[in-house]
Amino acid sequence: MSFIQRFVLPKLPTVLATQARVDLPGYEIWLHNIDNVHVLPTELDVARFEEALSKALQLYSHAAGQLRCNDGHWSIELTNTAIPVDIDYKLDLNSNSFLSGDWVVQDDISPFLNNQPIGANLVNGGAPLVRLKLTFFNKETCIGVSWHHTLGLLLFLDAFFQGLYDIPSIGDSITLSHFMHALSQFYQGVSLKYPAPTFRKHHFPTPSPSLSAEYWPRMPHLHKSCVFSELAEIFYESCRDAEHLRWRFDNHDLADLRLMLSSQKETYLSKQDCLIAYIVAVLNYHKSVPVQKVTNTSSVLSNIPTDMANIATTLRQTLIQCRDPDYVYKWMTVANKHMLETANAGKSFLFSYLDNSINVNSNTIIDWHGAHFGCPDGSRFHTSGVAKSYLRCFKSNPTKGDDGVWYPRQSIDISMGTTSELKPKLLETLAYGIPYMLDNGHTRQCLIY
């Protein structure tokens, strides 16, 4: 027995038993998967896992649905379709045979994933929106999950616009994290950490021409698109010569950096603000074309000075502005329109590389390791995805000591694609440590989007 494919149905009745579909606004139509792997230092019980999955699908029943588009209207039909679970046994190996160390972001996690069914269409077809794979190694279990972006939920968005929450829980990654936590907790037979999901969707009006003209320049990541069937080839070509740079920052060092930069400006700065400012400083120390733009998904244009403290301060001021309910409402009104139009044109967004910018995607607030299935100390998490100037941040995985005990790493993993010429220079400067850049690093004029 080496490979088995099973199918798991949601437990009935589901939380959405009284409705036929979940309507999808434009801002949720992102036609890609999130692919992750959870590595556990134990052998999971398959029957118990399937029972837990059935209960998790009862709560997240849209994950057992199918994606539909009729006359430009998108929805997830609540079909209660069985979810595929591949089971693979490689008991003579361990997960390190397929992983590059314990870095969170790997070059390739495809051996741990359940492949998309051949010939199955995602839109108006029978392709599942979530696929799972259990790979059993010697005293290890890897849970590979492919989760479609349309399953994301904007939690507490209405309450955010009413001023009841400071920050909405936004996005597909947080929804997937909550799903994996629920799966883990059902497996353990313990109460759920997070509340049951809400499927209420906020529907935005059509933006006025003046609002579109004001906010469209603030979302450069939505400006380029291509036919979905061509996306993989175009993206691969743009990343063909990208070198994967990875580094680990100790939390104590980041705390010291934050203290030094905050004291210079006498203002609150987060570790993330300071980390990004430091990375920009390191890049501009070596690049012939300096970083002039720092982008994330919700963005605003700001001029910033050249020193590290002022970069961090401007990042903080930008985030405060971008979290203003009025700003978010207007930004999402415009984004919603363009995302819907792009999807209805049969296209997908293309994140193109610009030599003078970096795009930041931080997962440091997401508790991926908390989905531990009863192994809180040794649970590890991996994902993949490398592109030029695409900076990703995660809490580091734990490490196993010579005594066989798992120890938490108090550090942050960063991952970014860069050039073969630049990579060794960046690694050398990073190895000198943070004080080196505080003494020698000066960044050039930048813009933050």
Side-chain angles (χ1 to χ4, degrees), residues 183-350:
L183 178 56
S184 168
Q185 286 143 15
F186 280 130
Y187 181 87
Q188 297 172 75
V190 299
S191 56
L192 298 184
K193 177 179 180 179
Y194 299 108
T198 173
F199 296 88
R200 294 189 304 272
K201 306 289 183 178
H202 193 99
H203 294 274
F204 293 90
T206 300
S208 66
S210 60
L211 187 66
S212 291
E214 180 183 358
Y215 277 80
W216 179 237
R218 306 183 186 194
M219 44 192 78
H221 60 296
L222 301 183
H223 288 183
K224 293 185 178 181
S225 61
C226 65
V227 177
F228 189 78
S229 60
E230 300 174 356
L231 178 65
E233 181 179 351
I234 294 174
F235 181 77
Y236 173 79
E237 183 62 27
S238 69
C239 299
R240 183 170 49 86
D241 58 345
E243 290 281 336
H244 192 179
L245 182 144
R246 290 177 285 207
W247 195 258
R248 191 164 283 147
F249 288 94
D250 187 274
N251 283 342
H252 295 296
D253 292 337
L254 290 178
D256 290 342
L257 175 64
R258 176 186 177 187
L259 181 62
M260 286 184 282
L261 297 185
S262 296
S263 63
Q264 292 180 32
K265 305 306 297 181
E266 296 183 351
T267 187
Y268 170 81
L269 298 173
S270 71
K271 287 183 182 179
Q272 184 71 19
D273 300 331
C274 299
L275 173 60
I276 301 307
Y278 175 72
I279 295 298
V280 170
V282 172
L283 287 169
N284 284 353
Y285 192 66
H286 293 287
K287 285 169 64 70
S288 57
V289 179
V291 173
Q292 295 179 311
K293 298 178 183 178
V294 179
T295 66
N296 62 16
T297 50
S298 176
S299 49
V300 64
L301 178 64
S302 299
N303 290 303
I304 65 172
T306 59
D307 65 285
M308 203 184 302
N310 274 318
I311 294 175
T313 302
T314 307
L315 284 167
R316 173 52 36 189
Q317 293 170 345
T318 302
L319 284 173
I320 291 172
Q321 179 183 357
C322 291
R323 290 171 177 175
D324 176 76
D326 183 63
Y327 177 92
V328 173
Y329 187 88
K330 292 176 179 177
W331 192 96
M332 291 198 64
T333 297
V334 176
N336 181 73
K337 171 182 178 291
H338 286 283
M339 293 181 73
L340 180 60
E341 290 176 348
T342 300
N344 285 336
K347 295 183 176 181
S348 180
F349 297 108
L350 176 65

